[in-house]
Amino acid sequence: MLFVHLRLANVIVKEVPEIAVAPVSVIICARNEIKNLQQHLPAIFNQNYPQFEVVVVNDRSWDGTEEYLEHLEKQHPNLKVVKILDNDKFIAGKKFAVTMGIKAAKYDWLVFTDADCVPDSDNWIRCMQKPADEATEIVIGYSPYLKKRSLLNALIRFETFFTAVNYLAFALKGMPYMGVGRNMAYKKSLFFKNKGFAAHMHIPSGDDDLFVNAHANKRNTEIRINKDSQVWSEPNHSWAGYLRQKKRHFGAGKFYKPKHKFVLTFQIVFQFLFYIAFAACMFFSLEAKYIAGGILLLSIIIRSLIYPKLLNRLNYRDLRWWFPILDILLFFFLILNGFLSIFGKKKVNWK
């Protein structure tokens, strides 16, 4: 909290660049997403940016997506549709769809989002455009989930908040280890120079975090967290759907670099030991209870100094009142999900 997350809370957020320089290819993969495309594509086409194309990959949809995209092509000359047909000769999955979208893109700077996502403003592309620093090859963005009235929604947003705080803060510290495909950007040349997803094509998930984990470093990676750069997404509405999503993420995490796995595992283990030690102290002497209570109080004070600012910055300010409860619930949920991911069925599909 003090040596990593605090830096993200205090970092100066850059303003939106006034001048757009490099042309951009926005890539969206869709499988039976006609409702989301109808709802969210207009916000992409209305972006305040002089030169960009929108590449939509229609991955074997049968819900009318093809007809809708054909209609849009007549209205928007900067729309390029890539159609994937059923064919047993290729490996189906999102990584194949993303690869086909990248191949079709005509610009080197690629900005990624999903069909169920909508930019917070018409300056989103401007925020995610290629930085002036030529060494920068990857830009990691942030994508909050929309608020609903349910415990599941609060837990999803809380988990998303802490995941984002962690990967954004570690990127600031010079150790980028993941990004989210809902809002990130990188060079097309970087993708092909490293043979795309070849190293982990056999893994269903990881088109975003595994690519960043393999190729991001302190010299070639920047983050974007200002409000205009954020992309909102629709959260899962069922516990089963959320468990499947986390199972995909857990599966990809096993293929992170060893140093990243060590740091992330250390965080979980240390949190586990913290709660176990606190509970154990309740059965010992009065002095032990006082010490445990003091440590817990110190932890709460430190969090109260750091996380409210981050919750405001990352559009989750309403969760600050539920912080202690959600922290405990999330911890036990992640433990449960870890066991289910280890001992459950291995097959996972992106759609």
Side-chain angles (χ1 to χ4, degrees):
M1 288 186 288
L2 289 174
F3 299 105
V4 180
H5 294 177
L6 181 61
R7 181 168 182 177
L8 182 65
N10 293 332
V11 68
I12 298 175
V13 178
K14 296 180 180 179
E15 295 296 327
V16 179
E18 294 184 2
I19 301 176
V21 180
V24 167
S25 293
V26 178
I27 298 179
I28 302 171
C29 296
R31 181 166 166 79
N32 294 323
E33 297 272 14
I34 184 170
K35 292 183 179 179
N36 285 322
L37 291 173
Q38 290 173 335
Q39 184 175 359
H40 301 315
L41 271 183
I44 304 295
F45 289 119
N46 292 331
Q47 286 292 298
N48 178 28
Y49 201 79
Q51 189 175 2
F52 70 98
E53 66 170 353
V54 180
V55 180
V56 178
V57 183
N58 177 17
D59 187 6
R60 300 164 294 149
S61 300
W62 61 84
D63 65 342
T65 294
E66 182 176 352
E67 293 75 13
Y68 175 66
L69 291 175
E70 288 177 352
H71 172 71
L72 282 185
E73 281 185 300
K74 300 174 183 177
Q75 300 178 358
H76 300 280
N78 62 333
L79 172 62
K80 182 182 294 183
V81 178
V82 178
K83 185 166 63 175
I84 298 177
L85 302 175
D86 282 307
N87 191 328
D88 293 333
K89 293 182 180 180
F90 63 73
I91 302 174
K94 189 174 182 181
K95 286 178 183 173
F96 183 83
V98 172
T99 301
M100 297 305 293
I102 292 175
K103 286 183 176 180
K106 66 179 178 180
Y107 301 127
D108 188 45
W109 192 250
L110 312 173
V111 179
F112 297 86
T113 190
D114 288 342
D116 62 347
C117 297
V118 59
D120 192 88
S121 81
D122 58 5
N123 283 319
W124 168 62
I125 293 180
R126 193 177 293 274
C127 289
M128 298 297 290
Q129 68 175 302
K130 184 182 180 303
D133 188 348
E134 286 297 323
T136 301
E137 297 178 294
I138 299 174
V139 169
I140 301 173
Y142 169 63
S143 178
Y145 281 113
L146 296 168
K147 180 182 178 181
K148 310 289 181 181
R149 292 180 62 86
S150 72
L151 175 61
L152 173 62
N153 180 264
L155 185 64
I156 289 175
R157 292 189 299 126
F158 189 75
E159 185 268 333
T160 304
F161 165 73
F162 263 103
T163 299
V165 166
N166 219 41
Y167 72 72
L168 291 168
F170 271 106
L172 275 178
K173 292 284 288 185
M175 196 182 82
Y177 67 87
M178 69 164 283
V180 292
R182 303 191 302 275
N183 193 16
M184 61 185 294
Y186 53 76
K187 286 184 176 181
K188 181 177 181 178
S189 54
L190 175 70
F191 182 83
F192 286 113
K193 180 176 66 176
N194 293 283
K195 300 181 180 180
F197 304 125
H200 47 82
M201 196 71 179
H202 60 290
I203 306 168
S205 59
D207 58 282
D208 46 10
D209 58 341
L210 286 181
F211 185 83
V212 172
N213 190 265
H215 307 303
N217 56 60
K218 64 181 180 180
R219 295 178 299 277
N220 75 345
T221 305
E222 295 185 16
I223 69 168
R224 295 287 183 273
I225 59 173
N226 57 303
K227 193 174 186 298
D228 283 344
S229 71
Q230 297 178 17
V231 172
W232 290 91
S233 184
E234 187 73 25
N236 269 297
H237 298 284
S238 70
W239 289 96
Y242 183 47
L243 280 169
R244 286 194 297 269
Q245 182 188 56
K246 299 315 298 177
K247 182 179 178 180
R248 291 197 301 270
H249 297 167
F250 183 87
K254 292 186 292 186
F255 296 92
Y256 284 5
K257 292 177 181 176
K259 64 179 180 179
H260 298 151
K261 288 194 291 185
F262 173 79
V263 170
L264 297 175
T265 301
F266 181 81
Q267 286 183 288
I268 295 293
V269 171
F270 199 88
Q271 187 178 10
F272 177 78
L273 292 176
F274 177 81
Y275 284 123
I276 292 298
F278 177 78
C281 285
M282 297 300 102
F283 296 95
F284 291 106
S285 64
L286 185 62
E287 289 80 4
K289 294 178 181 178
Y290 283 142
I291 293 174
I295 294 174
L296 180 63
L297 179 61
L298 177 61
S299 173
I300 293 174
I301 292 173
I302 293 174
R303 293 172 188 229
S304 299
L305 294 174
I306 297 175
Y307 292 120
K309 186 174 182 178
L310 284 171
L311 284 164
N312 287 332
R313 178 167 278 184
L314 299 182
N315 268 317
Y316 281 153
R317 60 183 61 87
D318 62 293
L319 294 179
R320 63 188 183 274
W321 307 112
W322 301 97
F323 183 92
I325 297 174
L326 289 173
D327 188 42
I328 296 173
L329 285 177
L330 178 62
F331 170 71
F332 285 108
F333 178 83
L334 293 178
I335 295 295
L336 172 64
N337 181 66
F339 280 109
L340 292 176
S341 299
I342 293 172
F343 299 108
K345 295 180 179 180
K346 301 299 181 183
K347 186 176 180 181
V348 181
N349 297 318
W350 85 278
K351 282 290 181 182

